[in-house]
Amino acid sequence: MSTAIAGPEIERLIQLLARLPGLGPRSARRAALHLIKRREQLLVPLASAMQTAIEKITVCRTCGNIDTQNPCTICADPRRDPSVIVVVADVGDLWALERARVINARYHVLGGTLSPLDGVGPQDLAIEALVTRAHASDVGEVIIALNATVDGQTTAYYITDLIADAGVKVTRLAHGVPVGGELDYLDEGTLSAAIRQRTPF
Amino acid sequence: MSTAIAGPEIERLIQLLARLPGLGPRSARRAALHLIKRREQLLVPLASAMQTAIEKITVCRTCGNIDTQNPCTICADPRRDPSVIVVVADVGDLWALERARVINARYHVLGGTLSPLDGVGPQDLAIEALVTRAHASDVGEVIIALNATVDGQTTAYYITDLIADAGVKVTRLAHGVPVGGELDYLDEGTLSAAIRQRTPF
């Protein structure tokens, strides 16, 4: 990889592509070649889509979502229930919930979870803004939709404490058997939660 | 995937990224988010590297390699042996041989292999140009470095026939046990070739 095979321009393209998640050095070379061979069908449109992203995409000043408008489409949508805020760690989690079309609420993107080991403290996340939003008169419920990991749950408890005096209902996602999941493959924590939180049939 | 979650600009970026080899719809979303979050460190340089590729990369008129100069760096290099032409199907194969630094020759990129099932005939490949090059007075050997697949070998035989009267030596890559390969995992064809073409120890 240290030799420039086809000039520094192609090498640079390969190196940058290799920094995308899911692409390693070998697949980045394949991707670069794929792009160069499909110049008009793929390389030109992709370069242009990236340029548009550079020029237009901003972070929503209210919720931290990314969008081409600010406030974002979700925050600006009058059909969204303003009384419910779904707290997520990352925009990818917001996208996942939107794809599932499960809730017509607004969001709050923290920008990560508390992680003392990685040096991520409360000041690195959009927690203060969430506390302010939770105290707004029109908010009735905060749904904490963080990963069921140690960091996610630590962050959930931390936030719950901070907004305890806001007079809003604080809920979190249910634990249980994933739809389509096989019991045999589930860990004991999940099975235990699924039994404890069993629902009437 | 049919819903635009965050505006058509981001959806378009995701859709184009999903057309890269090695990325599916899900990893394309992750890649798009990764790019948007690393705007200055990754998105801007990658868009710029692509723009450079669009403006500068051409196909070498002699050998079919891609490069920012024409004839390409390899064809223009006086230290390359002009008497040997290595025939490859694709630029990716040329890159693989260059990475291995095994030969200091020039190349000829066919642009694929003959494949009647996929409708690829001789007129779709740079075969005529190869025949012309093989007849040049300074060429002494043509090494056929095509995949050891049915299509690759069919193409090899086809080319060998066409350049039979050019008065050049025609060779092909050796078959055998890959370095680091375990006999137990090799197919019978490879083992049989490795025995037939055994070399003195």
Side-chain angles (χ1 to χ4, degrees), chain A residues 18-37:
Chain A
R19 286 167 55 192
L20 288 178
L23 290 185
R26 185 177 285 263
S27 48
R29 276 200 302 271
R30 277 205 302 141
L33 203 54
H34 189 88
L35 280 167
I36 292 166
K37 283 199 211 159

Side-chain angles (χ1 to χ4, degrees), chain B residues 11 17 56 76-77 89 101 107 121 132 134 149 158 173 175 180 182:
Chain B
E11 282 299 317
L17 285 170
K56 292 199 174 176
D77 186 349
R101 296 164 175 267
Y107 292 90
T132 309
T149 57
Y158 183 84
L173 298 185
H175 287 308
E182 296 183 41

